[in-house]
Structures are given as structure tokens and as C-alpha cells.
Amino acid sequence: MVKSMRHKYGDNSLILDELDYEILRALEEDCTLTYHEIAKRVNRSPWTIRHRIEVLKRRDVIKGCRAIIDYKSLDYSRVILFFNVPPENMERALDFMKSQKIVKDLMIISGDKRIAAIIVGRDLDSIRKFIMNNLTKFGIYNTELDVVIDDVK
């Protein structure tokens, strides 16, 4: 049975089939896999896999590939900052945060706090200083800062 999901891109629509999902699962598990390695897993040719991955990249289904770093083993601190920012500062605040290496993930979320940021630093004090010296100028409010103690999955 073929599962499919449609995404609208202007006049074009993208249909993901079971092979696309198998490729995505393999890449989620290990994004360093070669076309040949994925092809062996899904019993297809490397050229088919390459073509499918290129299409998924062009359509922004695959946005990138990055290492999952164990910051705890490096004695770094990691926090999740939930906050709001006034609408007139939203775009500037998000652009600034996207440009900062200390900010590892940035999401607009539902709920009473509209933005969540995962921030990593050498210690909690460096993270606090980053927030105080940079984010307060955007008028952030309704903040909640949670320290990540351990990764479970």
C-alpha cells in the first residue's frame, strides 16, 4: 500500500510515496549515509535514491543535515528559552537569533509563549549574559528558561 501526502507549492503538488518515506527515515537515522547505502536498505538503485533526495531537497522537505552533538559530554549547558516578543520586533528578533551560533534551534510555537529557542553555551552564566545583553533589546517578555538535564531520545 502506498501512503501519500500532498504539499502545495504554487501550482505544483508534491506527492510523497513509501520510497520517499523510507529514504527520509534512513536519513533521520543517519544523515551521513551515501546514496549506495540507502539504495541497499530500500532495494533500489543509487541513481533513483539520488534523484529522490534531490527532489526532496528542492522542495524543502529535506532542509539540511547536521551532527547531533552531546553537549553534556563537552561540559556545555543547554537551555530552552520560551518567550514572547512585541509584534513590531518579531522579525528583527528572529533574524538576530537565527544568525547567532549559540542558538541551535528556533521555533515559533502555539501557546502563551510564542517562541522557543534552544541555546547552548559553555555554562549557564554565559547563556544568561547572552540573553541579557542581546535579547532584552527586542523587548522579550513572559520568559521561561528551562535547563536541559539529560537527553532521553
Side-chain angles (χ1 to χ4, degrees):
M1 181 166 109
V2 175
K3 287 192 253 177
S4 66
M5 181 170 79
R6 291 189 180 269
H7 293 279
K8 286 292 184 186
Y9 295 95
D11 292 329
N12 301 330
S13 65
L14 174 67
I15 299 173
L16 300 180
D17 64 13
E18 190 57 39
L19 177 58
D20 294 318
Y21 285 109
E22 288 180 44
I23 292 167
L24 292 171
R25 282 191 291 274
L27 290 173
E28 273 186 320
E29 188 178 301
D30 182 357
C31 71
T32 65
L33 292 172
T34 66
Y35 298 136
H36 288 275
E37 291 168 326
I38 296 169
K40 283 181 186 177
R41 285 186 182 198
V42 300
N43 199 27
R44 296 292 178 97
S45 78
W47 297 274
T48 298
I49 301 305
R50 180 186 176 282
H51 172 73
R52 294 292 186 105
I53 289 174
E54 291 304 315
V55 169
L56 292 167
K57 285 179 179 179
R58 275 196 312 274
R59 299 299 182 130
D60 282 335
V61 173
I62 297 175
K63 293 185 178 242
C65 176
R66 62 183 178 179
I68 300 170
I69 299 170
D70 180 1
Y71 292 105
K72 189 175 181 180
S73 72
L74 300 172
D75 286 330
Y76 276 53
S77 295
R78 187 166 44 138
V79 301
I80 305 172
L81 175 65
F82 298 94
F83 64 97
N84 286 320
V85 65
E88 63 272 13
N89 294 339
M90 177 76 80
E91 189 173 334
R92 282 184 26 249
L94 292 175
D95 286 344
F96 172 79
M97 292 188 73
K98 287 190 291 189
S99 73
Q100 301 302 298
K101 291 184 194 288
I102 191 171
V103 178
K104 301 302 178 184
D105 284 299
L106 185 61
M107 299 146 279
I108 297 174
I109 59 174
S110 63
D112 63 335
K113 295 173 180 72
R114 298 304 315 237
I115 301 171
I118 297 177
I119 303 172
V120 174
R122 287 222 171 256
D123 53 39
L124 292 174
D125 191 51
S126 66
I127 295 171
R128 182 189 64 79
K129 286 178 183 171
F130 169 78
I131 293 167
M132 296 303 294
N133 294 337
N134 295 290
L135 301 185
T136 54
K137 64 184 164 194
F138 297 107
I140 67 170
Y141 63 96
N142 196 19
T143 61
E144 178 184 325
L145 185 69
D146 296 328
V147 176
V148 176
I149 295 169
D150 205 359
D151 289 306
V152 179
K153 179 178 177 183

